[in-house]
Amino acid sequence: AIASGVVGYLAESSEVTMYAGKRGRILVNAPAHCPTSATLISKPIGSRGNGATSSDSGGDSSSSNPTTMHVEFPLPLPSKAILDSGGVQLPNSMGFVYEAEAVRRLISAKSYTFPQWTPEESVGSIRTIEQMLNQ
């Protein structure tokens, strides 16, 4: 596997992040630093290229067309207290409020791990990143 990244701060960008692999692509839609949607593009096993131009299907491109799925995960609306205090100032800042509220609920319940993201999943993510960095 190959991982590459490009970051630029002096130019306008589409602010979309793409992860590409043998079976397709994941697009983290804009703004990628605080997204609320993603697009999953999966190719049939054995297809090459972008799917539509594959030459391994005997000229029938329909058998190698990728499948596209758009996933939305909207942020909650700001509470009255947040709006009364001036609201959030940056795009999708409600994500930070949502995250802080989740931590508050966790601590109030005297719990230290999120059921949505276990310590084992955290360690697995770190190991995956370490493998990428070692390549």
Side-chain angles (χ1 to χ4, degrees):
I2 297 174
S4 65
V6 177
V7 178
Y9 294 101
L10 300 176
E12 185 74 22
S13 78
S14 62
E15 211 179 332
V16 172
T17 300
M18 179 178 66
Y19 299 94
K22 293 178 182 178
R23 298 279 314 275
R25 298 181 298 274
I26 300 172
L27 301 175
V28 178
N29 298 317
H33 72 283
C34 54
T36 58
S37 68
T39 304
L40 311 171
I41 304 165
S42 59
K43 301 184 303 182
I45 295 173
S47 66
R48 301 183 333 213
N50 66 7
T53 59
S54 176
S55 62
D56 61 353
S57 61
D60 178 12
S61 64
S62 64
S63 65
S64 62
N65 284 340
T67 302
T68 301
M69 180 174 63
H70 189 73
V71 180
E72 295 276 343
F73 36 97
L75 296 171
L77 296 174
S79 67
K80 183 177 179 337
I82 291 171
L83 293 173
D84 290 347
S85 71
V88 294
Q89 304 302 313
L90 299 171
N92 296 352
S93 292
M94 276 306 297
F96 295 122
V97 176
Y98 179 78
E99 189 174 352
E101 178 59 21
V103 170
R104 185 201 63 76
R105 283 192 314 269
L106 188 77
I107 292 170
S108 294
K110 298 189 181 352
S111 185
Y112 302 102
T113 60
F114 286 101
Q116 299 90 344
W117 191 259
T118 66
E120 293 79 19
E121 289 171 309
S122 294
V123 171
S125 294
I126 292 167
R127 289 199 173 128
T128 299
I129 291 168
E130 286 175 339
Q131 289 175 358
M132 290 168 47
L133 292 173
N134 290 329
Q135 292 183 12

